[in-house]
Amino acid sequence: AAAAAAAAAERPAARGKMSIISSTKGMIFLETGHPIIQETLEAKLQNKRGEPFDITCSDFDDVRYRIVAHTDTPTTIHFQLAMPYLGDLSAYGASSVIDRIYGQYKDKPDQGYDAGFRIEISNPKESIETVARNFGELKRNVMAAPFERCFSALASGSTGSMKPMVIPFRPLERIVLVPSNDRVLVYFTIAFNEEADRAIARVFLQEFSESQRKVPQAPSVSFTHDCPADLARVSEFDNRGGKSLVGYVQFQVFKSHVEGAKKEKISTLLSGFRSYLHYHIKASKAHLHSRMRHRVDLLLKVLRRADPNSKDESNKKAFRTYAN
């Protein structure tokens, strides 16, 4: 399964409306778009008369959205984004991405939010499908901006003068991009508060790095418990994992990995790697709990069958008395 994930960078991008998609090898990848946002905008934009509504939804990495149409202006949709680390991403190219894709919709954000947009139902300026898809992929587009900047420079051979990028995308975790002349090193610090999550993550990441060897054309992956030397030399990096720290994941991305259409795909996969890991850890725990409950049910059935005083009619055949 981990080999399928590592090989995904070699396959062309695929986007849809589902929240998850499955690869041909059975591995589940999270879709880039937020299904609630896409479905809401498509439905509201198709209703030209407009109607008041107020929807708040969340995403991975402490991201929160609010989509609202007020009673006095039901044909105007206000879209709010709360992203605590948006300011850090803006310094690494996110502001340019927002101006390029969402510039015509920019609006003043409400209190408690970091970015605001306004969509007129009577004049959405783009097709309904395009508007819904772009806003559904807002987090992906903003998160992928630093990766696309580094990988574009790598493809053009101009990474030598670039400085490391540190993204504090979670309170205890960091993404660090370290460009060099012939490659870009991408580091993830992984931390979980729960011991069970840390144990599953440790096993998953170790297998992830081992399985990558079966896919020679994919970016190399390594997982260590100790801070790598290249990461330790980054002055802007502050390690806050503490007791919750699982370890460090390193991806080595070369020019061959970002040529042509591969750049968008690998930017999407790496920017969503932490969410991908989070999803599979929770799915693994759910599967283990399901197996445990099933095993307990079987054991209870055995105990009930072993009770000669049971009132269950199906057990009477197992306890017959014979007169001498």
Side-chain angles (χ1 to χ4, degrees), residues 13-282:
R15 296 183 179 179
K17 295 182 181 180
M18 298 298 291
S19 58
I20 59 174
I21 57 176
S22 299
S23 75
T24 56
K25 295 187 179 182
M27 198 63 181
I28 295 177
F29 296 96
L30 296 179
E31 188 52 82
T32 55
H34 196 296
I36 296 178
I37 294 175
Q38 292 184 222
E39 293 171 6
T40 299
L41 289 180
E42 285 183 356
K44 300 305 180 182
L45 289 174
Q46 288 172 357
N47 182 9
K48 297 298 183 181
R49 294 176 300 175
E51 59 182 6
F53 66 93
D54 192 344
I55 296 175
T56 301
C57 55
S58 301
D59 206 336
F60 290 99
D61 306 327
D62 298 328
V63 174
R64 182 166 46 90
Y65 308 96
R66 185 188 182 196
I67 315 172
V68 58
H70 300 291
T71 305
D72 53 343
T73 55
T75 59
T76 300
I77 298 176
H78 298 274
F79 189 101
Q80 305 292 326
L81 168 67
M83 198 176 205
Y85 45 93
L86 182 60
D88 299 276
L89 290 171
S90 297
Y92 302 137
S95 57
S96 300
V97 171
I98 292 176
D99 291 339
R100 174 168 52 86
I101 302 177
Y102 310 96
Q104 55 190 335
Y105 303 104
K106 289 180 67 175
D107 193 18
K108 183 179 179 180
D110 294 342
Q111 185 176 2
Y113 291 87
D114 302 288
F117 306 91
R118 183 176 60 189
I119 307 170
E120 297 293 342
I121 294 179
S122 59
N123 183 25
K125 301 180 181 179
E126 295 174 294
S127 67
I128 294 177
E129 293 76 12
T130 300
V131 174
R133 184 182 67 252
N134 285 343
F135 279 94
E137 296 181 348
L138 177 59
K139 177 179 181 290
R140 179 269 167 202
N141 294 334
V142 172
M143 281 290 293
F147 295 89
E148 292 179 346
R149 172 176 286 190
C150 283
F151 297 155
S152 296
L154 180 62
S156 62
S158 57
T159 53
S161 60
M162 296 185 67
K163 295 182 179 180
M165 302 179 182
V166 180
I167 306 170
F169 72 114
R170 297 176 72 90
L172 301 178
E173 300 175 64
R174 301 290 182 266
I175 299 175
V176 183
L177 289 82
V178 184
S180 60
N181 292 328
D182 61 341
R183 73 192 70 182
V184 174
L185 301 178
V186 181
Y187 292 98
F188 289 84
T189 61
I190 305 298
F192 286 96
N193 292 324
E194 297 183 14
E195 177 59 32
D197 290 352
R198 291 197 293 271
I200 297 175
R202 196 174 297 112
V203 173
F204 186 92
L205 292 172
Q206 288 172 345
E207 180 63 22
F208 196 90
S209 59
E210 290 294 327
S211 299
Q212 182 274 335
R213 299 176 184 178
K214 302 176 183 179
V215 191
Q217 294 182 346
S220 64
V221 185
S222 62
F223 170 68
T224 61
H225 300 284
D226 300 323
C227 185
D230 290 333
L231 182 58
R233 286 193 290 266
V234 178
S235 59
E236 297 85 357
F237 172 65
D238 55 334
N239 196 346
R240 298 187 179 183
K243 295 181 179 180
S244 300
L245 183 67
V246 177
Y248 306 85
V249 183
Q250 180 201 69
F251 294 87
Q252 291 194 52
V253 181
F254 293 91
K255 186 176 181 179
S256 60
H257 299 133
V258 297
E259 294 176 340
K262 294 180 182 179
K263 182 184 71 173
E264 180 182 359
K265 183 63 175 180
I266 195 172
S267 298
T268 298
L269 289 175
L270 288 179
S271 62
F273 173 73
R274 179 56 173 77
S275 302
Y276 161 89
L277 175 64
H278 188 103
Y279 172 84
H280 280 282
I281 288 175
K282 298 304 181 183

Side-chain angles (χ1 to χ4, degrees), residues 286-302:
H287 176 69
L288 291 174
H289 290 165
S290 176
R291 294 288 300 273
M292 291 168 62
R293 287 192 294 268
H294 178 67
R295 184 61 177 171
V296 169
D297 289 340
L298 292 178
L299 292 174
L300 289 175
K301 289 180 181 178
V302 172

